[in-house]
Structures are given as structure tokens and as C-alpha cells.
């Protein structure tokens, strides 16, 4: 917390909550961890909750709720049509985003499906700052395709650019000018997920919205990771540092035609929402929601979750609360960087991203440096991260194994879930692993191609056992 100065201690991120309900966890022994990752086919997606000490796979649907959210869940009005829960959430959305129409759906990817069904035809294109798996799959399913418009620095793993998620406006305008009629909409992703939760500047969003107006194309904001992005606008973009979070959201929202979000992230709940001001567009999208998701007053969400999102959205307007995620991530990244461990910079939202190509440069691309490092991190610490590289990369041609543009391990930081001491434990184990990185070996798929990110792999040697033996040598009986 920037607002608190320390007397004689090194500043640490400060939690702005007290804990009311806890969930027990344990640290499996290093031998149990080797067995678990073998059983899981060296794929962290296949580990089970009981195998984990720190679950840092994702930030989707795993954020802690407040006592006020849990309390609000009890007033959920399970009324099929005309529910007062719908009205309360709609009013909250109007208050924050100034948009009159709201369509609930069951989670973020359902928003993407509804929008693709509503606007994407064979031959359509959707320009976007960067792609996101669940989003582009729906666009392709409907016969369209996407075009990435990220500015030059966006894919730079080490950079000081505060807004790596910005659009290349020249490229976007060229596409709109040349292909205007085929553009279904422009998708603007806040807190750009796949380049490391990197923010987009408000000025850049406004310029994109301006171009959309000029060429008569819908602007659609994916606000799933808006919470972190808002913190970065407030702290990194001088023109807006004097404004409140609510004022910043208002400026952003007024410029966008449609906003959608995963409420498994924004709003600390479990659900999704599409919001807009145009009645005709609302009626158009509503028919798809009614057919595929649920009656348009709940769209597949439970009314309890809708009440929790209503209260959670107020929390996302509170600067002290939204600062914590990015501050934990910055702490993690800075401590690791100081220890010489290669991380993606500047720190973004969502999580800390470790650069596997630099951590384990001796592992070749076809033995998956990111996946191997994710397995090794689990063996060293009991923490589960997510590979972001070749394993995760979709297969365009079933004959050719694709390589990711990067080989990263993402350690997501679920909001308000872990403490600073747990982060310190993780940092310590990562430092040990870095000093022993030459022991980490590669992994290979067990099954014939093409592969899927959920498939099992195997270690190319007994490196996991050798890594565990070194752990025992250095830590004795310690967990
Ligand atoms: C997580 C995410 C989604 C999908 O949300 P789910 O609720 O997990 O389906 C969409 N867009 C972005 C940018 C996300 O980070």
C-alpha cells in the first residue's frame, strides 16, 4: 500500500481485509509432489486440489468473497421472470457503467459466444489488441477470424513500457479503412491476459473508440481484467491520476458501445455480463441469451451469485482494494528479479510471469521449457502455475507441432486469497530452484499428435527424482 510508510521495516504489500473464514491447506512432501506430478502427466492442469499448497493456476472463479457478499447471497430472489435480484444488479451496473441494458450469462466465455453469434458471419474479422483463447474460438466457430493489433512493444518480454496492451492505432485504422464492411466489431481487451495481464491506457482505448465511430464499427470492451487495468491507469497514466476510479470507469464506459466481463474475475463472483446502451442491439443479443444461456433475468447464473457480484462490483471501485492484486504481483516480480530470476516486466495484473526460455535455456522448444519449469516449480514448492507456451498453443495444422511465441510460466495471484508470508515461501523455493536449474529436464507428450493443452506428458529422464534428491540434501526433513 503506497499510502502507508514504514518506520524501519522493508515495505511489504499490505492486506486491506481481515480473514473471517479460512480453508485448510497442507504442504505435500517433496516425494508426494514428484508422485503427484508423475500421476498428473507433468501437466499442472491435471493436478488435484489435495496435491497443492498454493493454487496459482488461474484467477478465474477463485477470488475470495467478503462477508458482505456472502450476506447478500441470502437475499437472492429466485424468481424466473421479474426477479428483484436482476433489478438490483442492473441498477448497480447503471450506477457504475452508466449503461441501461444488462444481459446476464453464466461466465465470461458465454459473453463471447453470444457476441460472436450476434455479429460474426463467415468472412467477418474482429481486430483486437491481442487474442484470447475463449474469445477467438467463438469467432472462428461462427466462420470469422481475428487480427492482432498489439503495438510493437507488447510482445517484448523485458520492457519498461507501462501500457504494453495498447493498440497499434495505425494498423487498426488501416484495417478499418480497407476491410470496414467485414469488421464485425473491434475487441478491446483490458488487462491483456495472454501478454501477461498488461494494461491498455485509457487514452489508447478512447482513440480506438474514436476510430470505431469514424468507420461505423462497434467497439466492444472485454472488461474481465478491468480491475487491475484501472489501478494501472490511476497509477501510470498521469492525465487520470487525479480522478477517482469511478470517474475513470465512466469516461471509459461512455466511449464503448458494448462492455462484457467474466464476473469470475471482475466483481469477485462467479458469472458474466454483457452491458450496452442501444435498445436494438440489446434485443438482438437477448434472443441468443434466451436460447442458449437462460431466461434473460439470470442467463444461467444463480441469483446468489448475482447478488455477490452486485456487492463485489462496489469493491472493484475501491482503490485500496483493487491495488492489492497488482501490489502482490509487483512484490513477487521485484523480489524474483532482484534474485536474478527472469520475469516478464513491467509487472502486470493477473499474475507473475516467469520467462522459461531464460530460466531453463538448456531445454529445447520441443521439450517444452514452460511446461517443464511449471512441473519443476510444483516439485520445489507445491505451488501450481500454468504453462503459457507450446503446450497451450492451439494446433492450426494437425501435422505441425506449434511453438508458442513465448515460453512462460504464469503464477496467477487469486485476489485476497494468499498472504505475504505465503508469497515469501514461494519466492524462497523459486530462488532454490533457480540455483539448481541445471537439474530441470524436458518433457514429451505420451500420445500421438495433434495435442491438446490438457494431455499427459512424461519426463525425458529421471530428472524429477534427481531434483527431489537435491531438495532432500539441501533441506533435510523440511517440507
Ligand atoms: C478469463 C477471461 C475470459 C473468460 O472468462 P471465464 O469466466 O473464465 O469464461 C475472457 N476474457 C478475458 C480477458 C479473460 O481473462
Amino acid at each position: 500500500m503506497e499510502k502507508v510508510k514504514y518506520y524501519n521495516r522493508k515495505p511489504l504489500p499490505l492486506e486491506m481485509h481481515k480473514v473471517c473464514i479460512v480453508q485448510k491447506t497442507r504442504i505435500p512432501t517433496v516425494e508426494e509432489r514428484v508422485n503427484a506430478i508423475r500421476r498428473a502427466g507433468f501437466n499442472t492442469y491435471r493436478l488435484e486440489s489435495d496435491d497443492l499448497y498454493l493454487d496459482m493456476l488461474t484467477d478465474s472463479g477463485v477470488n475470495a468473497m467478503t462477508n458482505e457478499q456472502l450476506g447478500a447471497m441470502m437475499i437472492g430472489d429466485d424468481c424466473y421472470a421479474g426477479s428483484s435480484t436482476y433489478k438490483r444488479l442492473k441498477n448497480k451496473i447503471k450506477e457504475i457503467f452508466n449503461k441501461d441494458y444488462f444481459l446476464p450469462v453464466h461466465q465470461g466465455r458465454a459473453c463471447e459466444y453470444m457476441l460472436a453469434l450476434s455479429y460474426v458471419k463467415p468472412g467477418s474479422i474482429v481486430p483486437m489488441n491481442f487474442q484470447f483463447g475463449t474469445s477467438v474460438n467463438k469467432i472462428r466457430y461462427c466462420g470469422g477470424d481475428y487480427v492482432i493489433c498489439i503495438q510493437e512493444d507488447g510482445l517484448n518480454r523485458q520492457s519498461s513500457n507501462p501500457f504494453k496492451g495498447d493498440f497499434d492505432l495505425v494498423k487498426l485504422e488501416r484495417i478499418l479503412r480497407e476491410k470496414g464492411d467485414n469488421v464485425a466489431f473491434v475487441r478491446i481487451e483490458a488487462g491483456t491476459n495472454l501478454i501477461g495481464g498488461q494494461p491498455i491506457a485509457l487514452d489508447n482505448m478512447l482513440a480506438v473508440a474514436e476510430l470505431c465511430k469514424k468507420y461505423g464499427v462497434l467497439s466492444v470492451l472485454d472488461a474481465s481484467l478491468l480491475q487491475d487495468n484501472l489501478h494501472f491507469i490511476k497509477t501510470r497514466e498521469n492525465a487520470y491520476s487525479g480522478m477517482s476510479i469511478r470517474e475513470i470507469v465512466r469516461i471509459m464506459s461512455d466511449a464503448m458501445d458494448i462492455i462484457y466481463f467474466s464476473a469470475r474475475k471482475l466483481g469477485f463472483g462467479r458469472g458474466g455480463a454483457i452491458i450496452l446502451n442501444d435498445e436494438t442491439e440489446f434485443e438482438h443479443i437477448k434472443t441468443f441469451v434466451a436460447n442458449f444461456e437462460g431466461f434473460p433475468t439470470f442467463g444461467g447464473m444463480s441469483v446468489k451469485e448475482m447478488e455477490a457480484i452486485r456487492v463485489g462490483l462496489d469493491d472493484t471501485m475501491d482503490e485500496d482494494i483493487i491495488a492489492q492484486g497488482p501490489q502482490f504481483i509487483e512484490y513477487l516480480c521485484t523480489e524474483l528479479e532482484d534474485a536474478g530470476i527472469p520475469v516478464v516486466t513491467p509487472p502486470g495484473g493477473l499474475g507473475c510471469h516467469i520467462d522459461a526460455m531464460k530460466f531453463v535455456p538448456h531445454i529445447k522448444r520441443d521439450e517444452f521449457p514452460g511446461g517443464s519449469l511449471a512441473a519443476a516449480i510444483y516439485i520445489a514448492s507445491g505451488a501450481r502455475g500454468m504453462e503459457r507456451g507450446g503446450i497451450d498453443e492451439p494446433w492450426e495444422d494437425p501435422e505441425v507441432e506449434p511453438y508458442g511465441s513465448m515460453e512462460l510460466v504464469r503464477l496467477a495471484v487469486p485476489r485476497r486469497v494468499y498472504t505475504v508470508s505465503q508469497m515469501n515461501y514461494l519466492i524462497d523455493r523459486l530462488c532454490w530452484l533457480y540455483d539448481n536449474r541445471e537439474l530441470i529436464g524436458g518433457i514429451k507428450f505420451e500420445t500421438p499428435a495433434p495435442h491438446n493443452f490438457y494431455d499427459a506428458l512424461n519426463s525425458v529422464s529421471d530428472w524429477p527424482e534427481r531434483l527431489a534428491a537435491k531438495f532432500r540434501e539441501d533441506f533435510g526433513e523440511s517440507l
Side-chain angles (χ1 to χ4, degrees):
M1 260 264 301
E2 278 111 26
K3 285 183 191 156
V4 176
K5 280 203 169 43
Y6 281 74
Y7 169 54
N8 66 1
R9 303 207 155 241
K10 188 174 156 193
L12 291 172
L14 203 55
E15 294 87 350
M16 297 305 288
H17 53 259
K18 66 176 188 179
V19 177
C20 316
I21 296 181
V22 296
Q23 180 178 347
K24 276 197 276 183
T25 179
R26 66 181 275 272
I27 307 183
T29 64
V30 71
E31 291 78 16
E32 287 177 305
R33 301 195 296 254
V34 170
N35 287 338
I37 197 74
R38 278 213 174 282
R39 230 179 16 249
F42 288 86
N43 187 330
T44 56
Y45 269 101
R46 298 161 65 105
L47 287 166
E48 292 183 9
S49 184
D50 289 344
D51 301 328
L52 309 173
Y53 175 52
L54 303 172
D55 191 2
M56 303 176 78
L57 186 77
T58 179
D59 63 332
S60 176
V62 289
N63 302 297
M65 288 201 194
T66 62
N67 53 352
E68 292 181 13
Q69 282 180 293
L70 293 176
M73 287 172 105
M74 297 313 291
I75 63 165
D77 178 23
D78 254 320
C79 171
Y80 193 85
S83 161
S84 62
T85 291
Y86 175 79
K87 202 157 87 187
R88 278 191 287 273
L89 182 51
K90 181 174 166 353
N91 289 344
K92 181 55 69 183
I93 283 170
K94 169 76 183 170
E95 173 198 315
I96 292 174
F97 296 97
N98 193 32
K99 298 242 183 263
D100 288 328
Y101 297 101
F102 154 52
L103 285 163
V105 295
H106 82 276
Q107 71 179 99
R109 65 201 64 188
C111 306
E112 294 169 331
Y113 190 31
M114 297 304 107
L115 292 171
L117 288 171
S118 303
Y119 298 111
V120 177
K121 301 187 298 281
S124 295
I125 57 166
V126 180
M128 50 182 76
N129 41 350
F130 205 67
Q131 52 113 338
F132 188 71
T134 58
S135 173
V136 303
N137 290 346
K138 309 308 182 324
I139 291 167
R140 287 191 162 166
Y141 183 75
C142 294
D145 214 342
Y146 63 97
V147 192
I148 289 176
C149 297
I150 194 82
Q151 52 105 355
E152 212 180 315
D153 218 15
L155 296 178
N156 234 345
R157 281 169 291 166
Q158 272 77 40
S159 155
S160 56
N161 189 325
F163 291 106
K164 289 207 287 188
D166 278 0
F167 272 79
D168 174 341
L169 296 168
V170 175
K171 179 170 180 186
L172 177 64
E173 179 152 22
R174 195 173 57 237
I175 294 165
L176 293 175
R177 198 170 44 232
E178 291 170 5
K179 308 220 162 103
D181 291 345
N182 288 329
V183 175
F185 54 84
V186 174
R187 176 176 168 277
I188 301 137
E189 186 181 320
T192 324
N193 193 323
L194 293 194
I195 61 164
Q198 295 288 333
I200 165 171
L202 181 50
D203 277 342
N204 192 262
M205 288 190 199
L206 298 178
V208 171
E210 205 50 53
L211 285 176
C212 289
K213 284 207 176 63
K214 179 168 165 193
Y215 291 92
V217 169
L218 288 174
S219 53
V220 176
L221 174 67
D222 179 342
S224 303
L225 299 178
L226 182 63
Q227 170 171 334
D228 297 333
N229 205 124
L230 287 170
H231 167 77
F232 292 124
I233 290 171
K234 173 97 185 153
T235 53
R236 294 181 185 175
E237 198 168 355
N238 287 341
Y240 304 102
S241 59
M243 288 188 187
S244 71
I245 298 294
R246 277 178 193 270
E247 286 167 328
I248 293 171
V249 171
R250 190 60 184 268
I251 292 173
M252 181 185 299
S253 183
D254 284 347
M256 297 293 158
D257 294 311
I258 298 177
I259 299 179
Y260 75 84
F261 58 89
S262 164
R264 295 173 67 80
K265 297 162 187 169
L266 193 75
F268 300 96
R270 316 283 184 260
I274 302 170
I275 60 182
L276 66 167
N277 261 334
D278 187 291
E279 191 182 354
T280 317
E281 304 294 349
F282 168 74
E283 292 297 337
H284 177 57
I285 306 168
K286 193 170 92 176
T287 52
F288 293 103
V289 172
N291 278 316
F292 291 95
E293 286 291 295
F295 195 77
T297 53
F298 60 89
M301 261 194 283
S302 122
V303 287
K304 290 193 168 59
E305 296 296 350
M306 292 172 74
E307 296 288 354
I309 294 164
R310 172 178 58 81
V311 177
L313 281 175
D314 265 335
D315 280 356
T316 62
M317 296 297 108
D318 181 333
E319 213 185 310
D320 286 346
I321 290 173
I322 63 175
Q324 289 174 80
Q327 282 167 0
F328 264 67
I329 292 159
E330 187 181 344
Y331 176 69
L332 203 50
C333 289
T334 314
E335 292 286 310
L336 295 177
E337 220 186 350
D338 289 352
I341 298 174
V343 294
V344 173
T345 55
L350 177 63
C352 167
H353 294 70
I354 300 179
D355 188 346
M357 304 246 264
K358 289 198 175 148
F359 197 113
V360 280
H362 54 282
I363 299 180
K364 297 189 299 281
R365 294 300 287 271
D366 64 351
E367 293 186 358
F368 305 112
S372 306
L373 180 58
I377 290 172
Y378 171 71
I379 293 171
S381 65
R384 154 162 92 165
M386 182 191 282
E387 186 259 10
R388 282 278 185 220
I391 299 174
D392 192 42
E393 194 68 16
W395 285 60
E396 302 279 343
D397 172 351
E399 301 295 317
V400 187
E401 175 110 39
Y403 293 123
S405 50
M406 299 188 194
E407 281 285 335
L408 307 177
V409 177
R410 181 182 86 184
L411 294 163
V413 180
R415 298 170 185 91
R416 299 193 277 198
V417 171
Y418 294 122
T419 60
V420 177
S421 34
Q422 287 169 319
M423 294 301 105
N424 283 336
Y425 161 82
L426 176 64
I427 291 161
D428 182 76
R429 289 298 186 260
L430 287 170
C431 290
W432 174 81
L433 188 63
Y434 192 59
D435 286 344
N436 291 284
R437 61 190 179 278
E438 78 288 351
L439 289 175
I440 306 171
I443 53 178
K444 284 268 194 201
F445 277 109
E446 304 237 82
T447 46
H451 301 120
N452 165 317
F453 72 96
Y454 199 75
D455 288 346
L457 301 95
N458 202 353
S459 57
V460 295
S461 68
D462 66 347
W463 69 261
E465 284 72 19
R466 281 187 279 124
L467 187 65
K470 183 65 171 27
F471 184 97
R472 278 281 163 255
E473 200 181 308
D474 291 347
F475 291 105
E477 289 310 297
S478 167
L479 288 170

